[in-house]
Amino acid sequence: MEEQKKERAEMNRNLAQMLKGGVIMDVMNVEQAVIAEKAGAVAVMALEKIPSELRKSGGVARMSDPRMIKEIMEAVSIPVMAKVRIGHFVEAQVLESIGIDYIDESEVLTPADDMFHIPKSDFSAPFVCGAKNLGEALRRIGEGASMIRTKGEAGTGDVVEAVKHMRTISGEIRRLQLLPKEELMTAAKEMGAPYDLVRWVGENGRLPVVNFAAGGIATPADGAMMMQLGCDGVFVGSGIFASENPEKRAAAIVRAVTHFQDPQMVAETMEDLGEAMSGVAVSGLADRYAARGW
Amino acid sequence: MPVGVLALQGSVREHLDLLERSGGKGIPVKTLRELEQVQGLILPGGESTAMGKLLQDGGLMAPLAERIRRGMPVWGTCAGMVLLASGIEGEETVHLGVMDMTVRRNAYGTQRESFSVRDRIPEMGLGEVPLVFIRAPHIVHAARSVRILKTVRGAAVAARQKNMLATSFHPELTAETGFHRYFLDMVEEAGGSRMFTAP
């Protein structure tokens, strides 16, 4: 039983490895999912409203209609992810029961528990979770997440928070690498993270799972910058389907993320893209999604 | 000349690490210029639709297919197997289409059906090795000239046709170096050297 659980956890991390270097796109229906797949997305995130619309409409945001998710699963061959509220383990059970490829326990939805996250190791389906810093990332991995993404600030089209979270996590990893062994327990205490994971990161200089960037990426240059900052791939939420020409922008971001080290190639992808999503500056926001999560 | 790993997306780092641990040296290949510098190529795991689109957009598809037809050793793992296949069940178009076999994508189902087993592959001179299947394809039909190297749960999951090797599973996700050594042997037999010598 324990052995089987370990093997399942390993295979769930493995699936995230297959997504590396790619772009995962938010989609709201079958038509958008097909556009995303054709544009070269490595996976899609199925949800009823993209974060920029959730921001506008307000109210309680919950898991999407399972039927809509199943229709998307039937329409595309790439992995399909879907979001559940933080702590809402029954929404997670529901998604697992329909055979979802990845569950996002997401701060974009309204939290269902203001103290605790889902015990993700209890599930056979893989989880991705958001993080602002290394402690938060390691707590989620400790709970069983097999993939991490920066939180950024979803639905804004403002990349500043994604950059901040990526730099924070990288900086904290570098710091752990420099610490002598006897200081790691106190570091674990300070960042509120499991000691064995803190030690692992100190020794290996990276997270033990794949780490994507998310929250505010709207242009090919945004995607390429996040890759240069060291993330393994990119989530684009509202950035594609809230823009003027989703097909073209989707393909452009995919290409820019692959060729992130080649500015000439990134420049090519950015020509005649049409309007990006209009967005809102994070600095003027009252409601920050990134603050959700414990 | 070194061996390349197609680096558009997917398990690139894992293949490069295992090549090194198998006594070879690999470089990532994203462009035509980089493709010209290698004498063998690994097509990694990932999403075949994404890699296919990027191969096409980057102008790599036709030149790569041509080099493979001219004999460059190539090894596709999982998505890489789909890229090589001359037929994909239920789809009208294929990617490189160089290897005479038809494959079924996501043959076992969603991530829930991903699995791993340990088994021997005498055809490749391998004792018990881990075989990891992640949303894997398998071969549903192969031409006579394609040699099936391994069958798991009744389906063909590893095959060789001349300079082409395809596996449904992911040796790059394990610590097993046997498959990479087998591929380096293929490169050597084709007239290349194992070691990368810097220009």
Side-chain angles (χ1 to χ4, degrees):
Chain A
M1 193 62 200
E2 260 321 291
E3 196 53 37
Q4 253 178 337
K5 237 178 152 171
K6 238 177 95 180
E7 206 176 272
R8 178 43 62 179
E10 188 57 39
M11 282 190 291
N12 285 344
R13 289 181 182 193
N14 288 161
L15 176 56
Q17 285 171 272
M18 294 306 129
L19 307 177
K20 280 192 305 177
V23 181
I24 300 170
M25 302 180 192
D26 278 6
V27 298
M28 294 179 283
N29 52 49
V30 166
E31 191 197 344
Q32 291 183 353
V34 171
I35 290 173
E37 182 175 46
K38 281 200 180 130
V42 289
V44 290
M45 177 76 72
L47 72 176
E48 274 159 1
K49 282 185 183 170
I50 52 178
S52 61
E53 292 190 14
L54 286 174
R55 263 187 201 287
K56 280 183 216 147
S57 61
V60 177
R62 311 177 179 91
M63 187 194 97
S64 299
D65 183 343
R67 179 171 191 158
M68 168 259 188
I69 297 170
K70 281 199 283 196
E71 282 168 4
I72 289 176
M73 287 168 63
E74 274 160 34
V76 298
S77 63
I78 52 180
V80 177
M81 306 181 163
K83 291 182 191 294
V84 300
R85 286 179 265 176
I86 287 172
H88 207 313
F89 52 89
V90 173
E91 284 185 348
Q93 290 166 6
V94 169
L95 285 185
E96 181 174 68
S97 78
I98 65 170
I100 198 84
D101 289 303
Y102 241 97
I103 299 171
D104 184 2
E105 187 184 21
S106 176
E107 69 284 359
V108 169
L109 304 183
T110 312
D113 192 318
D114 65 356
M115 293 275 287
F116 308 110
H117 283 252
I118 297 170
K120 292 167 274 292
S121 307
D122 289 354
F123 289 77
S124 59
F127 280 81
V128 55
C129 285
K132 302 183 292 297
N133 53 50
L134 184 59
E136 194 174 14
L138 296 182
R139 285 196 294 281
R140 299 294 86 83
I141 296 166
E143 291 159 356
S146 43
M147 177 176 181
I148 291 294
R149 55 172 176 76
T150 61
K151 285 182 169 173
E153 194 55 46
T156 60
D158 186 347
V159 78
V160 65
E161 293 295 293
V163 169
K164 189 205 286 180
H165 299 160
M166 192 63 212
R167 283 198 186 278
T168 303
I169 292 173
S170 306
E172 288 173 316
I173 290 175
R174 280 194 300 272
R175 178 176 164 259
L176 283 189
Q177 283 181 280
L178 297 174
L179 290 185
K181 205 167 54 184
E182 65 273 20
E183 295 186 19
L184 288 174
M185 182 59 89
T186 299
K189 183 183 79 173
E190 282 165 358
M191 64 173 79
Y195 173 64
D196 56 334
L197 290 176
V198 167
R199 218 177 52 185
W200 193 95
V201 170
E203 280 163 16
N204 294 276
R206 62 178 179 88
L207 286 181
V209 302
V210 165
N211 181 26
F212 270 46
I217 293 145
T219 71
D222 288 349
M225 175 166 69
M226 296 314 300
M227 294 299 286
Q228 287 198 24
L229 285 173
C231 67
D232 293 314
V234 167
F235 280 89
V236 186
S238 317
I240 290 167
F241 290 101
S243 77
E244 192 183 357
N245 189 343
E247 281 98 337
K248 204 166 173 195
R249 183 165 295 265
I253 295 179
V254 167
R255 201 138 180 250
V257 165
T258 290
H259 298 284
F260 68 92
Q261 289 154 313
D262 182 345
Q264 249 177 333
M265 198 81 99
V266 176
E268 268 175 43
T269 70
M270 294 181 73
E271 285 180 15
D272 301 319
L273 268 191
E275 284 284 319
M277 68 179 285
S278 68
V280 285
V282 169
S283 53
L285 275 187
D287 189 12
R288 295 219 182 177
Y289 293 162
R292 301 166 170 176
W294 348 109
Chain B
M1 284 206 320
V3 173
V5 179
L6 187 68
L8 300 173
Q9 184 271 313
S11 53
V12 179
R13 183 77 257 158
E14 292 81 352
H15 270 299
L16 290 171
D17 286 350
L18 265 174
L19 275 172
E20 194 153 341
R21 288 177 47 200
S22 309
K25 190 94 183 176
I27 63 162
V29 171
K30 287 187 185 186
T31 63
L32 207 52
R33 221 181 53 209
E34 287 159 348
L35 178 63
E36 281 159 8
Q37 290 164 21
V38 300
Q39 56 184 3
L41 188 69
I42 295 177
L43 311 174
E47 287 303 320
S48 59
T49 49
M51 283 193 249
K53 163 97 173 129
L54 287 160
L55 277 173
Q56 200 63 263
D57 289 359
L60 277 171
M61 192 75 89
L64 174 54
E66 181 53 30
R67 279 208 61 189
I68 296 170
R69 283 199 195 92
R70 290 206 326 257
M72 179 180 73
V74 66
W75 171 24
T77 60
C78 195
M81 171 190 267
V82 178
L83 292 178
L84 290 173
S86 62
I88 304 172
E89 209 179 56
E91 290 176 33
E92 280 154 30
T93 55
V94 296
H95 302 287
L96 293 163
V98 288
M99 197 164 168
D100 299 322
M101 60 183 183
T102 299
V103 299
R104 178 178 301 160
R105 296 184 57 204
N106 302 334
Y108 304 90
T110 65
Q111 172 64 3
R112 187 162 53 180
E113 273 68 51
S114 290
F115 66 101
S116 70
V117 294
R118 294 187 65 87
D119 209 345
R120 298 169 57 241
I121 310 186
E123 292 271 2
M124 297 178 80
L126 296 170
E128 202 181 275
V129 289
L131 308 175
V132 182
F133 296 81
I134 306 291
R135 296 177 91 256
H138 63 55
I139 300 165
V140 287
H141 177 264
R144 270 172 187 281
S145 53
V146 176
R147 193 155 53 95
I148 302 300
L149 303 172
K150 183 67 192 167
T151 301
V152 170
R153 297 185 178 178
V157 294
R160 167 120 184 231
Q161 181 179 24
K162 295 179 291 190
N163 55 320
M164 296 174 281
L165 174 67
T167 60
S168 299
F169 47 84
H170 296 277
E172 79 276 17
L173 294 176
T174 73
E176 171 60 45
T177 56
F179 293 93
H180 288 78
R181 282 187 276 118
Y182 180 95
F183 182 64
L184 288 170
D185 285 343
M186 281 173 64
V187 174
E188 208 164 62
E189 279 158 27
S193 94
R194 271 170 185 272
M195 290 305 294
F196 171 56
T197 36

